[in-house]
Amino acid sequence: MSLQSTQFYRRLSCGAPSIESQAQLSPSVPDITKPSTPVGGRNSPAKFDRIKWPARMEVPVTRRIWQNQHPADCRAAKFVVWPFPGAASTRNFGSIYIDVLQWMFIAVDKGRVLILDDRNWSLGDCPLKSSECYFEPITHCKVADVMASQPQDQFRITDLSIKGYSALPDDKRVWIAPEAWSIAMDETRKRAMLWPSVTPRPLCHSQTAILQYLLAPQRWVRESVQAKLQGVFPEDFDAARTIGLPIRASDKCKGHSIIDSAGGEHDCSEVGIEEAFKLVDEIRAFDPMVDTLLLTSEDPATIARGRQLATEGLRVITNTRDAMQGSGSATYLVARAKAGNGTSVSDQVVSALSSLHMQLRSRYLIPTYTTSFHLTMQALHRSDHLTFTSDRMAFPLGPKDAQYTVAAASSSGCAAEVA
């Protein structure tokens, strides 16, 4: 494959423009064809073991989401309620938040508050038993505020098509979404809703903004991730010369035999470590200054194989404090914790989050687009607020027969849609 000759495709594969700076509040549209402002690259004093995640009110676009999510009177507000997959679900937070992203689009577009009814989340390893164990609350409204409505004021969504979305009854105070799935929505509406006074942005800008809002880590998570990353990066680490390579193997591979895990979703011979390293070598040919690879995986064997495949002159840095539990399945994580091996559910979730944050230190990112966790990582990688170098690029790896084998975009914006 060739970076010069390969057609550019887009799924969630967009570039790395800043979500929005204070200067971009005017009606004029910023010139996103120019390189983004450096945010901590070569010769930067940035502390790479520190999380960069600004408060929601510090960034104009996430502040607008916050305002939608914090009405003056929750008992008078209108809601969209989305129930997290329950205790029996195999879905981890990457898969879940891709759906939450879609429901937040709906909520903001319709001026409704999104409520996550996640009281039975299997990964909620704290007294709250919810996503708030790890991430800041997305609203001050509670499920009890919703329950104050009468049955006749509630509407259960069953039609997940765009036609069904347009027909949702606005006079019903509460829309209740089906568990585990998201509704279809016209992408044109998604592009415009967070920037109402300017020309609609590329869709990926909105995706990044919403995920940055949703996944704001709790203070204890920040501290735990920073503790895991402490000492991982050598003194001469340079984010501008770094490729990020997260690999999802184990339960993502078709034909696996891992118990307490869903069936595999991709052929690991096509999107596994060997194919990924072909792309690593290609990027290094494209940018000879690259000298470092951030390699993360839930699978210890994949990490070992990656070290073997690394070519001369490429330094491999791994997440040395990663639990590498051997599967990304939520059910597997819970069963592993119950087995009494000394690793709690929260330890395993924080371990995965530390790998996500580690990959935000890269300039080039190679996610696997059949993996929701990687799509989430790629979306966050676009944000100047969370990353450590400018002009970032993503090259999603996918099956050969899907015509998405290589997708690339720089800080000029999102990759163009190709028919």
Side-chain angles (χ1 to χ4, degrees):
M1 66 185 77
S2 170
L3 296 185
Q4 284 80 9
S5 63
T6 304
Q7 289 276 17
F8 286 173
Y9 291 87
R10 178 186 65 77
R11 277 205 173 185
L12 287 180
S13 52
C14 309
S18 166
I19 286 185
E20 181 170 298
S21 68
Q22 295 286 345
Q24 293 172 1
L25 286 174
S26 64
S28 61
V29 181
D31 184 0
I32 61 172
T33 63
K34 295 180 180 179
S36 60
T37 303
V39 289
R42 201 159 296 158
N43 301 320
S44 167
K47 298 288 187 180
F48 292 108
D49 60 354
R50 311 298 293 178
I51 287 181
K52 288 176 62 178
W53 207 291
R56 289 160 172 166
M57 295 297 284
E58 292 179 8
V59 182
V61 67
T62 52
R63 182 166 66 240
R64 284 196 284 275
I65 300 172
W66 187 95
Q67 291 167 341
N68 182 82
Q69 289 292 107
H70 290 77
D73 183 359
C74 290
R75 298 252 166 188
K78 292 183 176 180
F79 298 98
V80 177
V81 180
W82 190 77
F84 259 42
S89 174
T90 62
R91 298 178 72 190
N92 209 323
F93 68 88
S95 171
I96 289 172
Y97 272 89
I98 289 296
D99 277 338
V100 177
L101 164 71
Q102 303 299 329
W103 289 112
M104 184 63 85
F105 272 126
I106 301 292
V108 173
D109 187 43
K110 292 298 187 178
R112 290 172 174 262
V113 177
L114 177 63
I115 292 279
L116 303 181
D117 187 1
D118 54 0
R119 294 169 292 176
N120 295 315
W121 191 29
S122 59
L123 297 185
D125 191 15
C126 76
L128 293 173
K129 299 294 183 182
S130 73
S131 59
E132 292 180 20
C133 293
Y134 310 104
F135 308 112
E136 293 178 359
I138 67 169
T139 178
H140 65 292
C141 298
K142 305 298 182 184
V143 174
D145 297 314
V146 176
M147 298 308 176
S149 63
Q150 299 299 315
Q152 62 267 24
D153 293 328
Q154 300 178 5
F155 178 80
R156 291 192 174 273
I157 300 171
T158 56
D159 186 350
L160 297 179
S161 67
I162 292 178
K163 180 180 179 181
Y165 165 71
S166 62
L168 292 174
D170 193 55
D171 61 323
K172 299 295 185 180
R173 182 168 172 259
V174 179
W175 294 344
I176 302 175
E179 181 180 308
W181 302 108
S182 56
I183 199 168
M185 181 181 175
D186 185 352
E187 291 194 0
T188 303
R189 300 178 70 91
K190 293 180 182 179
R191 296 173 196 271
M193 67 178 64
L194 295 180
W195 291 273
S197 62
V198 301
T199 302
R201 296 284 193 91
L203 176 59
C204 66
H205 292 207
S206 297
Q207 293 166 337
T208 295
I210 291 176
L211 285 170
Q212 181 168 321
Y213 181 91
L214 292 171
L215 297 177
Q218 292 278 18
R219 181 176 178 177
W220 82 269
V221 172
R222 295 175 189 239
E223 294 173 350
S224 297
V225 168
Q226 288 170 175
K228 284 183 176 293
L229 296 182
Q230 189 172 12
V232 167
F233 300 97
E235 290 185 4
D236 63 345
F237 176 76
D238 188 342
R241 299 185 180 190
T242 300
I243 297 172
L245 179 58
I247 291 288
R248 276 288 279 116
S250 61
D251 61 308
K252 279 293 177 180
C253 299
K254 291 181 179 178
H256 74 77
S257 57
I258 301 172
I259 60 172
D260 297 315
S261 300
E265 298 177 17
H266 57 235
D267 184 345
C268 283
S269 66
E270 291 189 353
V271 295
I273 190 72
E274 279 80 8
E275 287 298 314
F277 262 85
K278 293 177 183 178
L279 190 49
V280 168
D281 292 341
E282 189 177 345
I283 292 172
R284 293 190 71 201
F286 172 75
D287 183 357
M289 297 297 290
V290 169
D291 60 8
T292 301
L293 179 73
L294 302 180
L295 179 63
T296 58
S297 177
E298 81 292 344
D299 180 31
T302 296
I303 296 294
R305 180 57 178 154
R307 289 190 176 280
Q308 294 174 349
L309 292 171
T311 53
E312 184 178 354
L314 183 65
R315 173 176 57 184
V316 177
I317 298 177
T318 61
N319 187 354
T320 54
R321 296 182 179 89
D322 189 350
M324 286 190 283
Q325 66 276 0
S327 174
S329 164
T331 306
Y332 177 91
L333 266 60
V334 172
R336 188 170 185 264
K338 288 181 177 179
N341 62 1
T343 305
S344 67
V345 170
S346 60
D347 288 339
Q348 295 174 84
V349 172
V350 169
S351 185
L353 288 171
S354 69
S355 290
L356 182 153
H357 282 278
M358 183 174 174
Q359 294 296 351
L360 296 181
R361 278 93 178 128
S362 64
R363 181 183 182 190
Y364 303 101
L365 182 68
I366 307 176
T368 302
Y369 76 74
T370 54
T371 302
S372 298
F373 180 52
H374 287 191
L375 294 179
T376 300
M377 186 184 298
Q378 183 180 347
L380 298 175
H381 188 260
R382 298 176 203 134
S383 173
D384 281 343
H385 298 288
L386 312 180
T387 49
F388 291 76
T389 188
S390 62
D391 303 324
R392 296 174 302 283
M393 304 176 74
F395 300 87
L397 187 67
K400 296 181 177 65
D401 61 357
Q403 293 187 315
Y404 289 96
T405 304
V406 175
S410 71
S411 58
S412 60
C414 307
E417 191 83 45
V418 178

